[in-house]
Structure formats: C-alpha cells, structure tokens
Amino acid sequence: MPRPPTTQQFVLDELRRAILSRQLAPNQPIRQDSVAHELGVSRVPLREALKTLEAEGQVVYRPHRGYTVAELSLADLLEVYRLRELLETEAALVSATKAGEADSAAVRAELRAVVEAAANDDLVEMIAANRRFHFAILEPADMPWLMRMVRTLWDTTDAYRAVYYNAPDNRSRVLEEHEAIVRAFEARDGAELAELLRRHREHAVAALRATLDETANG
Amino acid sequence: MPRPPTTQQFVLDELRRAILSRQLAPNQPIRQDSVAHELGVSRVPLREALKTLEAEGQVVYRPHRGYTVAELSLADLLEVYRLRELLETEAALVSATKAGEADSAAVRAELRAVVEAAANDDLVEMIAANRRFHFAILEPADMPWLMRMVRTLWDTTDAYRAVYYNAPDNRSRVLEEHEAIVRAFEARDGAELAELLRRHREHAVAALRATLDETANG
DNA sequence: CAACTGTATATTGGATCCAACCTTACGCCG
DNA sequence: CGGCGTAAGGTTGGATCCAATATACAGTTG
C-alpha cells in the first residue's frame, strides 16, 4: 500500500484512524509534539490536518489552548442523523431520476463487495464497502456540495459504525435491506428508495441509542 | 477595531474579504509568498487559513500545485440555494416550536439594525445585519451542526449578495419581507415562517440568474 | 486560611530555512 | 519542422527554530 502523496494527507488519514479507534479519546487534548513525534513527522503538516478536522467538526480548537477530540453528545448524534435524513433523501430522489445503466452497475459492484466482505468476516472492509455502496446510490444526483456535507456527516459517526456492525444480527439485517434498496434503485423508484434508506438509518439510530444508554448505565 | 487574537484568524478574515471583493478572482492561483508578504505575515498561518477555506469549498487545493479560488458555476449556485432551502426550512420549523421571548427580542434587534443600515445607505452593514437577522431566526432551533453547514453555504454565496443589495428595488423588497417574517416568527407559525423564507430566497435566486445571464451575454 | 500575584514551565503560534515537486523553456533528435 | 527529453527556475511541502501565551505552582499578604 503506497503512502499518500503528501505528508499532511498521511497524517490526516492516521488521525482519522486514531479518533475512530478511540486511540485519541473524546475531550482528550492533542499534544502536537508527541503526536507528531509518534507519526514521525513535524508539527506543520499535523497542524494543517487538524485544521481540516476542525472544519469537519471532528476536533475543536481554541486559540492558544490547542485541539481536543470532539465529544459527541446523544443530541449531537441525533442531529447528525436528522441532517443525513434531510440531505440523503433529497439526493436519493434526484438520483433516481438521473441514474443510468452504468450507475446501476456501479451500485451492484459495491453491493457484491459488501456481501463478500461479510462472508469473509472482514469488518473493516465491510464498513468501507458499505460506505461506497451508499455513496454510489447518491452519486448520480450529481450534487457535489451535498455530497461533501454528507461525507463529513458520515465521518463524524464513523466511530459508532464499528459497534453496530459488530452484532451479527445487524450485519444480516443490513445485507437484506441492501437487496431491497438496490431493487428500488434499479426500478428508479425515488420515493421507495428514500423510504428504504430512511428505515435503514432508523435501525442504526435505535442501535446507537441502545449502545449509549448501555455505556451510560454501565 | 482590535486585531483578532491569532494571526491565522486575521489572515482568514482578510482572505474572505479578498475573495468576496473579487480581489482574488475565481480560478486565480493563490501565490502564497506574495499574499503572505502583502498581509505582512509568513506563509504558515496563511496555509492554515487556506485549509479551512478549502474545507468550506471556497478554494480548491491540489497537492504540489497550490490553491485556487473556487469557481462557482450556475449549477453550483443553484445547488447551494437548494441545500439552504432544505436545511433552513428544517431549522425554521424547529425554531418556531422552541423560541421564547428572549429570542423574539434578539430577532427584533437585528431587524432594527437592518432598517437602520438601509436608512444610512450602508451596504456593508446592511448585509452583515441581514445575515445576523436570518441566523437569529434559526438559532432557537439549537442545531449546531446544521448551523455550521448553513453558515458555510452563506459564505459561498456572499460574493453575490452585494450585487443583489445594490439594486434599490431589491433593498426595499427585503425590508418588507423581513416584516412579514418577523410576524410569523413571533406568532410561532413555523409553516408560514418557512414558506416566507422560501419565497425570500426565491427572489434572490431569480436575481442571481439574471445577473449571471447578463454577465454571460455581456 | 483563602485569595491573589508573580514566576517558571509546558505548549501552542509564527517565522525562517531547506527539500521536493511541478512547470516551462530550450536544445536535440527523428 | 515537430515531438520529446532534459535541465533550470519557481512554487509548494515540510522541518527546525524562536516568540508568545496559557497553565500550574509557590510565595506572600490580608
């Protein structure tokens, strides 16, 4: 696997991983010197990467006090899912009216990737493929600004996705739902597609709530 | 007027101004050395400011080739306004159910600021106050993630706002519409509020189209 | 004993310097 | 004469160094 073209991109990827895996815990101050040392780079590219993470809401910045990993309250998470609903519903409706055969092929390819990853019990790849699958569905809408926003919304909840996929019940449910979603997509039935996606997310939110309540009471 | 606490914040403000005023024209490469020199700072804070602008979509970045001011096509602008519609409608509906007396007072204060600026023919302040007015309406919804997104959407179209307000017809129309909007807000009539805001934006889009067609044919 | 102040230290903010890369112009070869 | 390889210059990417600010702690005073 080739290292990204620029160091800041490499650092950005690493930081995303670290935040996602809770290696950098919420509310924890990010000591630039130690993190930079750890990654074998200087502080400059690190700071640039932190700036983009700040814009995405992954970290919070306070002048002269540095960066801390953003803490997401339940209210934050619910809001993020609500926004995903607004934006992805719009994208799905538009996409259904514009998608062509090539788009269907792309979606099907990602669907297969998810199934295959599930068969191999490869959680990481399954999560990645799932993301590509959902984005492939929205892509034909040809709304780059919307896509950028949806992307950052997915990023902010990425840390919780692994928990969700850890349960076999959820995994199989996702696979079933994907089938129905693809059928709606290929039928160019925007309303049905949007509704299926909505229910798809609804399950994720319910699971999320359960997880958070559990950790709160445990 | 005190200079911002950090240099990067200062640079960020200056860059926003420069892009807005077309001092930095779309598609123009941003020579870091000259811009930094111009502002009397080094390249480091400039690059950090550019990173946040990149995340907001105001500039485009290509590794080893630097930053260029983002060019907004008509399709981009229409998409941005469509997204504003989705997000601001949601915020307005929620806001109407949550707003209290203090919120009404805040909105009224901003309304007065807009009127006053208009009376003084102070375009810059009128635009600023108008923005505060609209945000004051959405604020009670208490949706920080949504607000962040709406903020960047406003930023991307800021350059065109000055053109719109330049026409006296548009200015007086805005003032009238604001009155109706405030009444709906104080009546906590979310549906009416959202509809009025929608029509409010619709005029702006129409004017925008006209302007762009004109420049395209001129 | 609490609160305040001054100082020392750790950490971030910014400037300068060097390396890597892209771009362009020129000369060579087909 | 046109296309390609190559070298030189310019611009960005990254590292190191220094300055400014915040934090923690100790000493002092009411």
Side-chain angles (χ1 to χ4, degrees):
Chain A
M1 191 153 134
R3 181 164 156 160
T6 66
T7 303
Q8 48 180 277
Q9 188 59 48
F10 163 72
V11 171
L12 188 55
D13 295 344
E14 289 298 308
L15 284 179
R16 284 224 168 85
R17 263 201 340 91
I19 293 174
L20 198 148
S21 68
R22 294 284 201 273
Q23 216 170 330
L24 290 174
N27 284 327
Q28 177 181 338
I30 298 177
R31 301 271 172 252
Q32 299 177 6
D33 232 334
S34 71
V35 173
H37 218 81
E38 204 124 341
L39 297 177
V41 301
S42 91
R43 279 173 52 218
V44 174
L46 171 62
R47 274 162 59 180
E48 301 206 2
L50 285 170
K51 266 277 169 279
T52 69
L53 287 179
E54 184 206 356
E56 291 177 1
Q58 302 257 60
V59 301
V60 302
Y61 169 68
R62 295 166 69 190
H64 297 290
R65 266 179 264 186
Y67 298 84
T68 59
V69 178
E71 159 88 81
L72 292 190
S73 68
L74 176 59
D76 285 319
L77 289 172
L78 293 180
E79 184 184 346
V80 167
Y81 271 95
R82 176 68 182 131
L83 295 179
R84 276 189 54 192
E85 175 151 349
L86 289 173
L87 297 177
E88 293 183 24
T89 295
E90 168 76 4
L93 291 173
V94 175
S95 180
T97 69
K98 289 193 178 179
E101 262 319 299
D103 299 314
S104 293
V107 168
R108 280 229 162 268
E110 298 300 355
L111 174 68
R112 277 195 302 274
V114 176
V115 172
E116 188 176 345
N120 296 340
D121 253 345
D122 185 344
L123 261 193
V124 174
E125 171 57 18
M126 187 175 172
I127 290 175
N130 173 65
R131 180 176 175 135
R132 292 199 307 272
F133 171 75
H134 280 273
F135 280 58
I137 289 174
L138 306 181
E139 197 61 63
D142 192 26
M143 299 178 77
W145 291 82
L146 181 148
M147 286 302 262
R148 176 203 299 265
M149 290 181 169
V150 171
R151 222 176 306 263
T152 80
L153 291 175
W154 277 67
D155 282 337
T156 63
T157 54
D158 246 352
Y160 297 90
R161 205 123 28 222
V163 177
Y164 181 68
Y165 277 80
N166 220 17
D169 279 5
N170 289 333
R171 276 207 296 274
S172 53
R173 185 212 292 275
V174 163
L175 292 179
E176 283 171 35
E177 291 180 342
H178 277 195
E179 283 291 344
I181 289 170
V182 168
R183 278 196 296 276
F185 180 77
E186 298 201 318
R188 306 290 179 255
D189 185 342
E192 173 73 3
L193 177 61
E195 173 61 15
L196 289 173
L197 289 173
R198 195 189 62 71
R199 293 220 295 267
H200 199 55
R201 282 188 300 269
E202 209 169 49
H203 293 144
V205 172
L208 197 69
R209 258 185 211 276
T211 308
L212 288 183
D213 285 352
E214 197 176 301
T215 53
N217 302 336
Chain B
M1 190 154 138
R3 181 165 155 160
T6 65
T7 304
Q8 48 179 278
Q9 188 59 49
F10 163 73
V11 171
L12 188 54
D13 295 344
E14 288 299 307
L15 284 179
R16 284 225 168 85
R17 264 201 340 90
I19 293 175
L20 199 148
S21 68
R22 294 283 201 272
Q23 214 170 329
L24 290 174
N27 284 327
Q28 177 182 338
I30 298 177
R31 300 270 172 253
Q32 300 178 5
D33 231 333
S34 71
V35 172
H37 220 80
E38 204 125 339
L39 296 177
V41 301
S42 92
R43 278 174 52 217
V44 174
L46 170 62
R47 273 163 60 181
E48 301 206 2
L50 286 170
K51 267 279 170 276
T52 63
L53 288 178
E54 184 206 357
E56 292 176 2
Q58 302 257 59
V59 300
V60 179
Y61 170 68
R62 295 166 70 190
H64 296 288
R65 267 178 262 185
Y67 298 83
T68 58
V69 178
E71 159 90 80
L72 293 190
S73 67
L74 176 58
D76 285 319
L77 289 172
L78 293 179
E79 184 184 345
V80 167
Y81 271 94
R82 175 69 181 131
L83 295 179
R84 276 189 55 193
E85 175 151 350
L86 290 173
L87 296 176
E88 292 183 24
T89 296
E90 168 76 3
L93 291 174
V94 175
S95 180
T97 70
K98 290 193 179 181
E101 262 318 300
D103 299 313
S104 293
V107 168
R108 280 229 163 267
E110 299 300 355
L111 174 68
R112 278 195 301 274
V114 175
V115 171
E116 187 175 345
N120 296 341
D121 253 345
D122 184 344
L123 260 194
V124 174
E125 170 57 18
M126 187 176 173
I127 290 175
N130 173 65
R131 181 176 174 135
R132 292 198 307 272
F133 171 75
H134 280 273
F135 279 58
I137 289 174
L138 306 182
E139 197 61 62
D142 192 26
M143 299 177 77
W145 291 82
L146 182 147
M147 286 301 264
R148 176 204 298 265
M149 290 181 169
V150 170
R151 211 163 278 133
T152 80
L153 292 175
W154 276 67
D155 282 337
T156 62
T157 55
D158 245 352
Y160 297 91
R161 206 124 25 222
V163 177
Y164 181 67
Y165 278 80
N166 220 19
D169 280 4
N170 290 333
R171 276 206 297 272
S172 51
R173 186 210 291 274
V174 164
L175 292 179
E176 284 171 32
E177 291 181 342
H178 277 195
E179 284 291 345
I181 288 170
V182 169
R183 278 197 296 276
F185 180 76
E186 298 200 319
R188 305 289 180 258
D189 185 343
E192 174 73 2
L193 177 61
E195 173 61 15
L196 288 174
L197 289 173
R198 195 189 63 70
R199 294 220 294 269
H200 199 54
R201 282 188 299 270
E202 208 169 50
H203 293 145
V205 172
L208 197 69
R209 258 185 212 276
T211 309
L212 288 183
D213 285 352
E214 196 175 300
T215 53
N217 303 337

